[in-house]
Amino acid sequence: MSATRSVPVVQAVTPPATTNRLFVAGAAASHAAHLRSYGPLATETITNTLLVALEASGLTGRGGAGFATWRKLAAADEARADRVLRSSPIVIANGAEGEPRSTKDATLLQNSPHLVIDGLLATASAIKASQVYLYTVAENFRAVQHALNERPDARHIVLVEAAESFISGEASAVVNAIENGIALPTDRIRRLSDSGLKKRPTIVQNVETLAHIALIARYGARWFRSIGSDRDPGTRLVTVSGDVQHEGVTEVAGDTPLRDILATRGVDRSNVLAVLVGGYHGTWVAADNLGVELSAAALAPLGGHPGAGVLYVLSKQRCGLQATADIVQYLANESARQCGPCMFGLPAMAGVLTRIASGHRDPNLRRELRELSDTVAGRGSCHHPDGTARLALSALSVFADDANHHLSGRCTRQSR
Amino acid sequence: MAARTLGSTGTRPPAARLHIDWTRCDGRGLCTELLPRELTRDRWGYPLATKSASRSDVGIGESSLDAANDAVALCPKLALTLIPTGKTG
């Protein structure tokens, strides 16, 4: 291959030394600015030794599930090698970001699109993928298209528009959207990494995860682990929203306590009632637990998970039960209505929560919500019912005192 | 190894898993009649696993394999698949 391409001459760069890793090239970074900040990356020369570096790095998916990144890629790589006909894999960058309280993926795609593209190309090269897609909402198209046009090595990346729905970014829905134009989850007996788009091994990877891959490919696993903790190495993007002075995205070291993250956004902790951690499929963390770190291991005892790095702050002037009722109503409306337990169960849950929040004096309501939560869990083609059940149950536990007041007809907070 | 029936507290791995495609299932309930030990119906009529850890891939013991195969064949919505587990033959 002797393609004659003018390769821009780039000075060697120092790897980022602070927690600002993903936005070093500044706002709406051009390809030139990106190269000046991060140095070049010959993505086409990358082999599956990248998987070794990814395993050593401890990088986990930043889209919500928190799965070990190397493991996912290894599964697709093995599926490729196992096939009699050597069916080459497909890699999809997932920037759908259906989570209403998350803006990190949009922020990343609009400001550091080249890191995402680098990570996508590096991943594709590592597992010998033959097709590469970038799936995101229309809002990010201009920035992404502009970035793709700046690079001769990205011409083959197919940009696909994601629907503006909560579940359009669920992995099987992503594949369904690209293949059939229907952004709804599908039933799966085989994993996507084994048989996904066009029945080929398919990797659906969150755009932030890909951006971290671009940096690990450049600077290595040891550099990645130089920030964060052993159990949660590297940095992650967090979106802080709700009753805060400055809503927005922050890049933090792994294992940063929630209160420190809130401090970066000017949150008055004395006025915080609770924080919803992990998005609308997440869990409430009460004000007296804000010392907990934002990591899978630290949140597990509270039944929580970092999810896509979403922190939604509720002030003491708000009612946690009403806020949860509103969210569950939204989640019920966002059901794909394909699976019975979700289609019927989620609206029923929203109804019970609304009755509790509005002060119905029925002592059975709590038990009813627990029963419904138990009934829907694990009974859908995606985890939408499970995530909704987790949220509802966490509200009952964190706002237990409020529930007692409500069920005796007295809400001690304004609900709106 | 002679096949033993799977008791309700049996620790033997199930012979197969009955996979429910929730996107197809309409709650007709035929499977719950054929597999009364493994499945009951929820308040809307959809199959609910009574003792399987997974509610979408329901453990089926040796003694229920015939009934599970019938359920797969007779489901009017083609929502069921029987997946053998572990070693075959």
Side-chain angles (χ1 to χ4, degrees):
Chain A
M1 300 286 272
S2 59
T4 49
R5 274 216 312 258
S6 60
V7 180
V9 178
V10 180
Q11 299 298 310
V13 297
T14 321
T18 68
T19 50
N20 177 22
R21 291 179 164 189
L22 299 175
F23 298 106
V24 177
S30 65
H31 194 220
H34 165 76
L35 290 173
R36 272 198 307 276
S37 301
Y38 295 108
L41 178 67
T43 53
E44 67 283 356
T45 65
I46 288 173
T47 66
N48 63 2
T49 55
L50 176 66
L51 274 58
V52 178
L54 290 175
E55 182 175 8
S57 76
L59 175 65
T60 53
R62 302 294 197 234
F67 196 67
T69 303
W70 74 271
R71 208 182 285 277
K72 203 170 177 177
L73 301 189
D77 201 35
E78 281 157 27
R80 173 187 63 83
D82 281 349
R83 295 288 176 91
V84 181
L85 297 174
R86 290 293 164 101
S87 167
S88 60
I90 292 172
V91 182
I92 304 167
N94 186 3
E97 196 165 34
E99 182 71 56
R101 294 283 166 187
S102 180
T103 54
K104 74 176 179 74
D105 293 342
T107 305
L108 189 65
L109 286 168
Q110 289 173 30
N111 294 287
S112 302
H114 291 288
L115 267 189
V116 177
I117 294 167
D118 280 353
L120 182 54
L121 295 174
T123 302
S125 182
I127 61 171
K128 299 190 171 67
S130 59
Q131 294 191 351
V132 189
Y133 294 86
L134 199 156
Y135 174 82
T136 190
V137 286
E139 177 201 355
N140 303 322
F141 259 51
R142 225 168 62 95
V144 173
Q145 192 66 68
H146 178 76
L148 291 174
N149 293 344
E150 282 188 293
R151 307 173 57 147
D153 62 346
R155 296 260 159 82
H156 61 295
I157 296 178
V158 181
L159 189 53
V160 180
E161 186 176 340
E164 297 265 1
S165 67
F166 187 80
I167 50 174
S168 70
E170 192 272 340
S172 71
V174 172
V175 171
N176 196 11
I178 293 174
E179 192 154 22
N180 309 305
I182 305 164
L184 298 177
T186 54
D187 178 68
R188 268 172 298 155
I189 289 179
R190 298 170 72 189
R191 285 182 314 194
L192 291 174
S193 57
D194 190 37
S195 174
L197 187 61
K198 302 169 193 170
K199 299 202 164 35
R200 285 157 56 177
T202 302
I203 292 293
V204 180
Q205 202 73 279
N206 170 262
V207 291
E208 185 198 336
T209 314
L210 292 170
H212 288 294
I213 290 175
L215 297 180
I216 293 166
R218 279 182 171 85
Y219 314 126
R222 185 187 294 243
W223 168 85
F224 183 77
R225 302 187 70 96
S226 66
I227 279 181
S229 72
D230 271 353
R231 66 180 184 178
D232 194 14
T235 61
R236 63 169 68 243
L237 295 178
V238 180
T239 312
V240 183
S241 70
D243 300 328
V244 305
Q245 271 187 300
H246 313 290
E247 290 193 336
V249 176
T250 312
E251 185 170 6
V252 301
D255 247 354
T256 302
L258 299 187
R259 61 166 172 252
D260 296 2
I261 301 172
L262 297 181
T264 65
R265 312 302 307 182
V267 176
D268 171 14
R269 258 198 310 133
S270 66
N271 197 32
V272 171
L273 172 69
V275 176
L276 179 59
V277 178
Y280 285 179
H281 282 170
T283 48
W284 290 103
V285 173
D288 51 2
N289 279 330
L290 293 181
V292 73
E293 295 93 0
L294 184 69
S295 74
L299 288 166
L302 301 174
H305 191 277
V310 178
L311 299 185
Y312 173 58
V313 181
L314 210 60
S315 74
K316 287 181 177 165
Q317 287 71 44
R318 305 266 306 281
C319 170
L321 295 164
Q322 185 62 54
T324 308
D326 293 346
I327 295 170
V328 172
Q329 184 60 63
Y330 163 84
L331 293 173
N333 293 343
E334 289 292 310
S335 167
R337 295 178 178 78
Q338 298 185 113
C339 309
C342 180
M343 178 169 55
F344 294 109
L346 266 53
M349 289 167 68
V352 174
L353 258 165
T354 301
R355 287 202 289 283
I356 295 174
S358 54
H360 280 245
R361 299 192 194 188
D362 180 350
N364 295 318
L365 287 174
R366 244 187 302 219
R367 198 185 62 221
E368 172 72 356
L369 184 59
R370 286 201 184 95
E371 273 175 18
L372 283 166
S373 300
D374 177 65
T375 298
V376 301
R379 298 172 71 228
S381 72
C382 76
H383 293 302
H384 193 55
D386 308 54
T388 308
R390 186 184 315 134
L391 172 73
L393 293 175
S394 105
L396 278 189
S397 118
V398 170
F399 305 122
D401 290 351
D402 289 340
N404 290 335
H405 289 306
H406 276 265
L407 294 168
S408 58
R410 292 176 290 118
C411 178
T412 53
R413 302 175 211 282
Q414 295 164 232
S415 62
R416 302 273 176 190
Chain B
M1 284 272 282
R4 286 179 296 133
T5 51
L6 190 75
S8 58
T9 56
T11 50
R12 292 193 48 192
R17 300 209 162 271
L18 185 68
H19 176 78
I20 303 169
D21 177 349
W22 296 105
T23 67
R24 292 182 180 226
C25 174
D26 209 8
R28 304 291 177 95
L30 214 68
C31 56
T32 63
E33 288 176 28
L34 288 162
L35 295 160
R37 280 186 309 163
E38 289 82 3
L39 295 172
T40 175
R41 299 180 84 173
D42 70 12
R43 61 180 81 189
W44 307 289
Y46 295 94
L48 178 60
T50 47
K51 52 183 194 265
S52 169
S54 167
R55 295 164 137 195
S56 299
D57 294 281
V58 183
I60 301 293
E62 200 80 43
S63 60
S64 297
L65 278 179
D66 287 347
N69 273 309
D70 288 348
V72 171
L74 294 171
C75 174
K77 303 302 285 186
L78 306 177
L80 301 172
T81 314
L82 197 62
I83 305 164
T85 49
K87 293 191 288 284
T88 47

